[in-house]
Each structure stands twice: as C-alpha cells, then as structure tokens.
Amino acid sequence: MSIEPSQHSKVIARLRGPLFMTWAGMIAERAARALWPLWSVVIAVLAALMLGWHESFPIEVVWSVAVLSSIAALYFLVRGFIKFRLPSRMDALARLDSSLKGRPIQALIDSQAIGPEDEASAAVWRAHQARMAERAANAKAVQPNVRLAAKDPYALRFVAALFLGVALLFGSLWRVGTVTDIAQGTADLASGPVWEGWVEPPAYTGKPSLYLNDQDGQFVVPEGSRISLRLYGEIGALTVAETVSQRLENTGSAADPEQNFIAQTSGTLEIAGPNGRSWDISVTPDSAPEVEVTAAPERGADGMMTLPFAASDDYEVIAGNAEITLDLAAITRRYGFEADPEPRESIVLDLPLPIAGDRSDFSETLFGDFSEHPFANLPVTLSMAVQDAKGQTSEPYDYHMELPGRRFFDPMARALVEQRQWLLWSKTNGARTAQMLRAISHRPDDVFRSETAYLKLRVILRRIETQVAYDAFTPETRDEAAQALWDLALFIEDGDVEDALERMRRAQERLSEAMKNGASDEEIAELMDELRRANENYINQLQREAARNGEPQQRQPGAQDDAMQMTQNDLQEMMDRIQELMEQGRMAEAEQALQELQEMMENMQIAEGQQGQGQQSEGQQAMEGLAETLRDQQGLSDQAFRDLQEQYNPNAQAGESQGNEGRNGGQGRGESHEGQGGEGQGQGEGQAGQGQEGQQAEGQGQGLAQRQNELRREVERQRGSLPGAGSEAGDAARDALRRAEEAMRGAGDALERDDLPEAIDRQAEAMDALREGMQNLGEAMAEAEGREGQQGTADGREGGEQRDPLGRSPGANGQAGTDQGLLQGEDVYRRARELLDEIRKRSGESLRPEEERDYLRRLLDRF
C-alpha cells in the first residue's frame, strides 16, 4: 500500500475544519484564563446597577465604588492582555494530533529518513503513512479546557454570575440609565446648590419610601412619616419652610444642611432658592382600631363558650383583651343572692388573633370554659378593647350577656350546682345551703339513683354544718365545699356506672331532659352524639357477651319471642328521625320516638348462628385480648400526655380549683387530669370525669412506668399463645407484637427517667404495632377458615355469617365493626371539621406550653 502526495494533501485539507475549531477553542480557553477577573467585576457592577443600589446609597459611596471598580477593571484588563497569548496554527495542529492515537498528523508531515532507496523500506513507510492517513481522516475538534477552579479557588466568578441572575429576575436594565442622573447631580453639586429628600412612612404601615425629588407638587403620606432633607452647596443658598410637623421648639435653622421632622398634619413643604420646589402634602391620619361582638355567645354541652367578634384597623391590630365583670344591677336579688356578694376579680382574657394573614380586618372566636367560675350563668358585662401597632387603643366595647356555663339536665345535679353558686356568692349563705342540702337528702330513695352519691352529699352536708356551727366556715373551707359540690354534680350528671345498657339509658334521659328544658341546638347536637356513642358501646358489649357465651345473648328473660334484630340503617333512620323532629320543634313526637328507640335497643339480641370450635375460638379470644391491650395502651398514652401538659403548664389545669381567684377565671378548663376532688370531703373523683375514674380504678397506686411494664409483660404472654403459627400472616402478627414489646420497653424506660415526650413517641409506635398485629391475626384467622380474600367473622361461626345487633359484618381484622363504607354522611364530616377547628384554636392559644402547641401544629400539617 502506498500514499500519493495528492492524497496526502487531501487528508490535510480535510483537517481544516477540526483544526480551525480547535484553534478557536484554544483562543477561548486562554482568554477565559486571562480575563475571568475582568468579566467577574463587570457583571457584578452591572448587577448592582440593575438592582438600583446606586439609588439607595449616598452619592459619595456610589462614586467611591465606581472608582474602585474602574481601577480593578483596568488592572485586570492589562493583566489579562499581558498573560494572553494567541495560539498559532502549529499549536492547534499539535493539540489535534495529540488527541489521536499514534499522532497520525505528525506521521503524515514527516519524511523517511533511513533507507529511502530501499524498495522494501519505502513500501513499509508508505503503508505506515496510509494507516496514519486513515486515522487522521477521523479527527474531530478538541474541546477547550475552560475549567478555572485552580485559578479561582473561591469560585468568585460564580458569585458574580449568581448576582447577575438575581438582578435579571428582580432588577431592570432601565435602572442602569439612572447613572447619568447621578452624574448630572454631581455636576450640579459642582456648579451650584442642590438638594435631596426622602419620605419614610412608619414601618408598620407597610408603605414604601418616597424619593422627594421624583414627587410632583402634591402627594399623600401616612401620619407619622419621617421627612429627611439634605441641602448641598453654600450654606444659606437653600432654605426650608414647612407646616406639616407642627414643631414649636427645637426647630433649628431653616438653612441647616440636614433636616428631619415628622409629618403630623396636612400642610406645605417648600425648599426656597436655586432649583427649589414646593409640595402640598396630605397626611392620612391613623385612626384608632375598632372591635365588636358579631353574634350572640354559644354554649356547648360541656359549658364551653364561643363568642364571635370582629376587629379592624387602618393597618394592623397587634393585641386585644376582654374583661368580664359581674353585672350586679341585672341580677334578681332574691334567695341566695339577697346577701351582698363578695368581691371578685374580673376575668381577663387575651383575644385570639390570626396566626397568619391580614390583621387589619378579621373575624375570630373567643373560647372559654367558665362553668366553675362564680359568674357562670349570671349576667355579666364583657368589655373588649384592641390595640394597633402605633399604640392606640380602641374605645371599650361593652356587651351585656349571661356568662355561658355548663348546663346540668339531671334535676339533682342542677340543684347542687345552684347551692354551690350561692356559696360562692357569699359565705354567709352557708347555713341556708346546709338547710337546702338537708331538705334535698331527706328522702334519698326517691331522688338518688346511687347510694354513693347520697353518702357523698351527706359528708359534704355534715362538714358544712359543723364549720358553720363553730364559726370555722372561712373562704378557704367554703371553696373546698363548693368544689366538692361541683364534683358531686358531675358524678350525678355523667354517672359512674360501667354497664353499657345503663349508660345508654342515661344518655337517653339527658337528651329527654334537654328537650324538656329548651336546650340550644348545639347542646342537643352534642347530646345526640353522646347517645350515638352510648348505643355503639351497648352494641359492642352485646357482641362481646355473645362471643363469650357462644350463643345469642338475650337481654330480658322471657322476651325470646319479641326479640328484635336491627340493621345499621334502621338505627340510623331512627336517630335521624329524632333529630329531625327536634329541629322542627316537635318535641313531644321526638320524645316518643326516643322512647321507642330505647325499647328497641333493650330488646335487641345477637343473630343466631353456629358456635365455632378449636382454633377459631382461640383466635377470637386472642383478638379480644389484643383489643383490650390496645385500649389500655391508649389510655396510658393519654395519661402521659396529660401529665406532660401539667408539667409545663400546671396553672392552666389547677387555676380554677384554687378558689377561682385567678386572672383568667375559668379559661382553659375541661382538660382531663387527676384533680383534687374536694380534699377532706371524702371525694375521690377529680375534675377529669369518667375517663379519670376508670384510670383510678384500674391503676390505683401504680406509677405510669410500672403500668407500662405490666402491659408489656401482658403482650409478651399474648404473643406466646397467639394462634396461626406457621402461616405467613400468623408469623407477621407475632413479629408485630414483638415490635410492640420493644416499643413498650422503651416507653417504660422513658417513663422511669420522667422523659414524657420520648415515652409518648414510643407508646405511639407500640399502638401502631398492636394494630398491625391485630390485622395480621385477622388474616390468619380468615386463612384458617379457608376464606381467603373475604372478611373473616370475628367469632368463628361456620353456619352462616355472624352479625352484630345492627346487622353488620365484623371487619377483616377480627374487631367489632365492619370494613364497609361507614364513613359517610354529614355527621362524620361535621365532626371532622369540629375537631380540626378545635386543634387550630388550641394551637393559637398563647397560654398553652410551646411543646403542646408544636404538637398541635404538627397535627395540622399532617391532616
């Protein structure tokens, strides 16, 4: 093979394109390395001009930066041209050749130095050049190496580029043209007197600053704006005259080079002299804020007051408070109110403000539970006032109302609360109250459903009578008696029975009393919800009893023939019908329908089926045991959370029980905690109600850590006897229970260290693991029954599907209830909205501990 000279020329000609591109890349590479400081300075200055920084700084600073930037740019330009070397054609050819294997271009240029006369040697040389020509024909342009990390270790070029990007987004190229105005202003300074001025509104207004040189003859500014003037040139050539500040003292000279004053009223501003101007300035006054109640207060069944109000201001409301005082003139002075009342501090509350958004005009709701306060259910005057950012306070807005408190529908509880209020009105009512309590308890069999309630009342009565007789009825002992009466009233109203049927009857009685006494729609709605929960509890109790007995459970002997089965739709229709009748004001018909519902619920029995055997029975027992463990763990976690609340804010829970003398009255009551229960009165009940009584009965004398460890050992025992061994779902259930044990162990250790936040987190992990274990156990039971993919029956029936008293199929996880679409209807979404509003309201209460508010905010972010 040989290569002709003409072919050699063609190969070289084909390299012109890659050679030129390589040469151009080398020029860019050397220019970037030599001139990168120059273009970094240029784009940084350009970005500053586009952002208008030269308009914000004094002219001296602007010119100083301009001079320094020019010197730096000139220095880097000269330095760059000294370092820059234009690459030659041979440099480009050498770089292109080095990028090819074997340097084929150099081989094509070389000539044979040894043995050109030898034909064999010449043939080898021609073959070598032919191969090199083929390689050179595939040459491509070499990319330039413009990496400057070694030259710019601090990446200043990227900082300048980022600066320019920000200027392109938020600045404007037109602002670069204002540099000529500065230059012209400097020329004017050299030629004669000039001036500059700025108007800066107060920061809370959110208004922008104004450059006085750009303003026309008339403009508007907020009250309190600061006007700053600077006069340049010969002193006395320019003077200032104004009527907006209303200054009478310390005015200084009209020719002072720097002048500052506050715009208080509309007027004129004039700069007299060469290039002087004048303006008519309109000052917008800052009006005082306003506040008003927008709707009548509403009262929940638990006594929580909600009072809507609205506030407004020119700019922003920053604070507000409400003071509640007794309206003595509006009280009918008879019975226990005949005596002169003891002086009581007024209730002072901070008004809730929007967490985010506009505060110039907003509507909010004031919440408060004043059920235990001496003013509860009495005429009061609520005085509201708000404050703006300027410090102005609104005119007090007085609103006369009856302070909402908890309503008691049980006649006995209502009578006790009335006597308690007379005691708190004046301790001179001690003898009258003792006489009334003795009359109430004269025939206990006729008025007391519980012997315990009667005995508690007698203890309170004897203590009051003894203290009154020996002149020992002091304000402190009076407050103890009042607290004991309140606890007893709650005990009677809410009840302390464990039987599900009795709870259901109690809820029906309270609803019936509410209808008779003309309760509000909100109270009736809450009592309806309570009745629904009581009915559900009763149904679950029936189902558990049937599962234990392995046969249908009949509530009343001899009622076998009349026993009834109800579906969920039947119960829902009955409840909806009762609520509809109450909303229409047809209370007699609603009460009759309520009586029919009670009879139907009491005559209910479980649908018949065949009793399960063997493994199914064991699985049902294990499922019920896990459900009970989960409930115990939930109660333990709730108690830990309440202890955490009291640890960081004890006054929020105990303020009312100390005689109701605090600043905030009854605000924030209703939280479950272990209360005092009338110490010395023989009362064991706290202010937490039924939930606390259950905890006292189950865990009396035990610490939280001890109870947590006992619960962990119970889970360990349940895991050892869990059915479904060998199946995938059964093994998964055991693994979930093992994880629950580990989480409980961590919770117990945290409780021993008194680390409540850590304990609550570990308890939440334990509950999640228990729920997962129950779900896996339900799947294992379904597999054992040979019905994969279908809902397994909770009690292991074979002959026909087992249903609960409402006709529902138990869920796939073996728990009571159903997996069918029950989360439907207006009540579910209404309740969800109420819970969300309650969480949002509590997260905005500044008196709550920061840890609790942070927890509530995380709930809002999640849901």
Side-chain angles (χ1 to χ4, degrees):
M1 179 186 293
S2 62
I3 180 169
E4 300 295 335
S6 60
Q7 294 178 348
H8 179 277
S9 301
K10 290 180 180 179
V11 172
I12 297 298
R14 291 174 59 184
L15 294 177
R16 289 178 181 174
L19 184 62
F20 175 78
M21 296 300 296
T22 302
W23 178 74
M26 292 179 67
I27 294 177
E29 176 183 324
R30 295 184 179 185
R33 293 181 178 180
L35 299 176
W36 72 265
L38 175 63
W39 58 256
S40 297
V41 172
V42 171
I43 65 175
V45 172
L46 179 61
L49 294 177
M50 292 173 61
L51 290 172
W53 285 12
H54 56 288
E55 301 174 1
S56 304
F57 291 95
I59 188 64
E60 296 84 358
V61 176
V62 173
W63 276 110
S64 299
V65 173
V67 171
L68 292 176
S69 301
S70 300
I71 294 175
L74 181 61
Y75 169 75
F76 289 126
L77 178 63
V78 174
R79 176 175 173 272
F81 274 105
I82 292 175
K83 288 188 173 184
F84 179 77
R85 291 290 184 272
L86 187 67
S88 64
R89 184 174 182 275
M90 292 305 298
D91 294 335
L93 190 63
R95 173 170 289 191
L96 182 62
D97 192 23
S98 65
S99 66
L100 300 174
K101 183 178 181 181
R103 292 184 174 270
I105 299 176
Q106 185 65 41
L108 293 175
I109 298 175
D110 291 344
S111 59
Q112 186 177 0
I114 300 176
E117 296 83 3
D118 183 37
E119 183 63 29
S121 178
V124 172
W125 175 254
R126 287 193 298 271
H128 171 66
Q129 283 195 318
R131 285 196 299 269
M132 295 299 102
E134 292 178 357
R135 293 182 182 178
N138 296 325
K140 296 182 180 180
V142 181
Q143 295 183 354
N145 182 12
V146 293
R147 298 185 62 182
L148 302 175
K151 301 290 184 179
D152 182 19
Y154 298 105
L156 298 178
R157 64 193 186 282
F158 292 132
V159 175
L162 176 62
F163 196 18
L164 180 61
V166 173
L168 291 173
L169 288 175
F170 302 104
S172 173
L173 286 172
W174 299 106
R175 305 190 76 167
V176 179
T178 58
V179 175
T180 58
D181 298 337
I182 297 178
Q184 181 64 35
T186 306
D188 293 340
L189 285 175
S191 61
V194 294
W195 57 270
E196 282 186 302
W198 298 268
V199 180
E200 301 176 23
Y204 65 83
T205 64
K207 302 293 184 181
S209 298
L210 303 177
Y211 187 51
L212 201 56
N213 300 57
D214 295 337
Q215 303 305 313
D216 297 330
Q218 185 174 5
F219 59 92
V220 180
V221 297
E223 181 183 2
S225 299
R226 174 177 292 275
I227 300 178
S228 302
L229 297 174
R230 292 184 181 179
L231 308 180
Y232 306 104
E234 182 181 357
I235 296 178
L238 296 175
T239 58
V240 177
E242 54 86 16
T243 60
V244 296
S245 67
Q246 296 183 334
R247 294 179 296 172
L248 300 177
E249 298 178 355
N250 301 324
T251 58
S253 173
D256 287 342
E258 292 189 12
Q259 299 189 31
N260 298 277
F261 50 89
I262 304 298
Q264 300 289 355
T265 185
S266 300
T268 60
L269 171 63
E270 181 181 3
I271 299 178
N275 299 320
R277 293 171 62 182
S278 63
W279 298 269
D280 290 329
I281 302 177
S282 298
V283 175
T284 303
D286 188 349
S287 302
E290 297 180 354
V291 64
E292 64 176 348
V293 175
T294 57
E298 297 180 358
R299 166 175 47 194
D302 59 351
M304 176 66 69
M305 179 195 75
T306 58
L307 182 64
F309 70 94
S312 61
D313 184 59
D314 303 280
Y315 303 106
E316 183 183 26
V317 174
I318 63 170
N321 63 74
E323 183 176 5
I324 302 175
T325 56
L326 188 65
D327 189 359
L328 195 60
I331 299 177
T332 303
R333 303 296 296 276
R334 59 179 182 175
Y335 306 126
F337 300 115
E338 293 178 354
D340 292 333
E342 297 178 4
R344 294 278 181 180
E345 292 184 1
S346 58
I347 304 172
V348 179
L349 307 173
D350 291 331
L351 294 179
L353 302 179
I355 298 176
D358 185 19
R359 289 189 178 182
S360 62
D361 189 4
F362 63 90
S363 297
E364 275 290 345
T365 303
L366 177 65
F367 293 89
D369 185 0
F370 309 101
S371 299
E372 295 188 55
H373 198 275
F375 296 169
N377 300 313
L378 292 178
V380 296
T381 300
L382 182 141
S383 180
M384 282 187 176
V386 292
Q387 185 179 8
D388 63 9
K390 187 181 178 181
Q392 300 179 111
T393 303
S394 66
E395 292 292 332
Y397 179 86
D398 293 336
Y399 182 78
H400 300 278
M401 65 177 186
E402 182 180 286
L403 184 63
R406 174 165 179 166
R407 293 185 63 178
F408 290 82
F409 299 103
D410 185 279
M412 176 59 69
R414 189 162 58 245
L416 295 178
V417 170
E418 182 181 29
Q419 298 306 311
R420 171 186 177 273
Q421 189 172 50
W422 290 358
L423 276 182
L424 294 175
W425 179 266
S426 175
K427 69 182 184 67
T428 58
N429 287 326
R432 178 195 293 269
T433 300
Q435 184 179 14
M436 293 297 296
L437 294 180
R438 183 166 292 279
I440 291 173
S441 59
H442 178 57
R443 292 188 176 182
D445 295 338
D446 298 335
V447 293
F448 287 95
R449 292 189 305 272
S450 168
E451 182 179 351
T452 302
Y454 168 70
L455 295 176
K456 289 180 178 181
L457 179 59
R458 296 296 294 182
V459 170
I460 298 172
L461 172 60
R462 293 192 187 98
R463 187 170 294 274
I464 294 176
E465 289 180 335
T466 302
Q467 292 170 347
V468 171
Y470 290 95
D471 198 19
F473 198 59
T474 63
E476 291 74 17
T477 57
R478 183 272 312 277
D479 293 338
E480 292 178 1
Q483 184 63 44
L485 286 173
W486 177 264
D487 294 339
L488 180 56
L490 289 178
F491 178 79
I492 296 174
E493 178 76 9
D494 296 333
D496 191 33
V497 294
E498 295 296 330
D499 183 71
L501 178 60
E502 183 62 25
R503 287 184 182 274
M504 183 186 66
R505 289 172 177 169
R506 192 77 194 95
Q508 292 170 342
E509 291 176 5
R510 293 186 64 192
L511 181 58
S512 178
E513 288 291 333
M515 289 188 292
K516 293 177 181 178
N517 297 332
S520 64
D521 295 340
E522 291 75 15
E523 291 175 311
I524 289 180
E526 292 196 25
L527 292 174
M528 283 291 296
D529 291 338
E530 180 183 347
L531 178 59
R532 294 176 193 271
R533 292 191 297 268
N535 289 342
E536 184 69 19
N537 182 32
Y538 173 61
I539 293 167
N540 292 336
Q541 182 66 28
L542 281 178
Q543 187 181 28
R544 287 193 294 268
E545 188 175 355
R548 287 193 300 268
N549 298 335
E551 60 184 10
Q553 178 65 26
Q554 186 175 331
R555 296 303 305 172
Q556 296 181 357
Q560 177 72 24
D561 298 337
D562 298 331
M564 302 176 62
Q565 266 191 275
M566 295 177 62
T567 66
Q568 181 184 0
N569 291 334
D570 294 334
L571 179 60
Q572 186 65 37
E573 289 177 2
M574 287 285 292
M575 300 289 287
D576 292 343
R577 177 58 177 167
I578 294 172
Q579 189 164 3
E580 180 182 356
L581 291 173
M582 289 189 295
E583 292 174 353
Q584 295 175 357
R586 300 156 63 181
M587 294 301 177
E589 298 180 35
E591 189 170 358
Q592 178 64 30
L594 185 62
Q595 182 65 28
E596 294 176 1
L597 174 63
Q598 180 177 357
E599 295 176 358
M600 293 175 66
M601 294 293 292
E602 293 180 359
N603 289 326
M604 254 190 330
Q605 66 180 31
I606 301 297
E608 293 186 3
Q610 297 180 2
Q611 181 178 357
Q613 300 176 1
Q615 181 69 21
Q616 297 170 344
S617 177
E618 294 178 2
Q620 173 62 23
Q621 293 175 1
M623 185 66 71
E624 291 182 357
L626 290 178
E628 186 67 26
T629 302
L630 179 59
R631 285 192 294 271
D632 293 342
Q633 181 63 77
Q634 180 65 63
L636 193 59
S637 179
D638 292 343
Q639 182 63 47
F641 182 71
R642 287 192 292 271
D643 290 350
L644 180 63
Q645 285 181 303
E646 296 180 355
Q647 177 179 343
Y648 287 100
N649 191 16
N651 293 332
Q653 303 294 336
E656 280 286 305
S657 63
Q658 300 300 323
N660 298 317
E661 299 288 345
R663 170 180 172 84
N664 291 336
Q667 185 184 19
R669 298 292 296 166
E671 303 289 337
S672 298
H673 64 91
E674 294 183 4
Q676 303 302 321
E679 183 180 357
Q681 299 289 341
Q683 310 299 321
E685 294 73 28
Q687 200 61 29
Q690 297 177 3
Q692 179 198 346
E693 295 167 2
Q695 292 172 2
Q696 290 175 342
E698 295 173 2
Q700 186 175 5
Q702 299 180 1
L704 292 181
Q706 180 181 356
R707 292 165 58 191
Q708 183 65 75
N709 291 330
E710 290 179 356
L711 202 58
R712 176 182 58 79
R713 288 191 289 270
E714 174 64 19
V715 172
E716 183 179 2
R717 184 195 64 78
Q718 292 172 339
R719 182 167 63 91
S721 59
L722 202 66
S727 64
E728 181 179 354
D731 293 341
R734 283 174 169 78
D735 183 66
L737 293 188
R738 180 187 57 77
R739 287 186 278 109
E741 289 179 41
E742 294 298 327
M744 289 181 178
R745 180 176 288 105
D749 295 341
L751 288 172
E752 291 177 355
R753 300 192 307 269
D754 201 23
D755 187 358
L756 293 179
E758 175 68 17
I760 292 173
D761 291 340
R762 299 289 77 79
Q763 288 169 342
E765 295 176 4
M767 288 186 287
D768 290 340
L770 284 173
R771 294 188 184 97
E772 182 179 348
M774 295 174 67
Q775 182 177 359
N776 293 329
L777 177 59
E779 295 175 359
M781 294 168 60
E783 293 175 1
E785 294 171 1
R787 296 197 297 256
E788 292 187 32
Q790 301 179 2
Q791 294 180 341
T793 59
D795 55 356
R797 300 281 183 178
E798 295 179 358
E801 185 181 13
Q802 173 69 23
R803 295 178 178 271
D804 68 4
L806 294 181
R808 302 175 300 183
S809 299
N813 60 0
Q815 299 184 23
T818 179
D819 293 338
Q820 301 173 0
L822 298 181
L823 294 179
Q824 301 175 0
E826 179 181 357
D827 288 343
V828 173
Y829 295 105
R830 177 179 59 81
R831 182 58 178 161
R833 286 194 299 269
E834 291 175 354
L835 291 175
L836 187 60
D837 292 341
E838 178 67 17
I839 294 175
R840 185 177 292 110
K841 183 263 294 184
R842 294 193 180 191
S843 66
E845 294 178 352
S846 59
L847 295 179
R848 292 184 178 274
E850 184 60 30
E851 289 77 5
E852 179 183 353
R853 296 172 64 191
D854 181 64
Y855 170 74
L856 295 172
R857 284 192 289 266
R858 292 201 305 270
L859 285 180
L860 290 175
D861 293 339
R862 183 174 182 181
F863 298 104

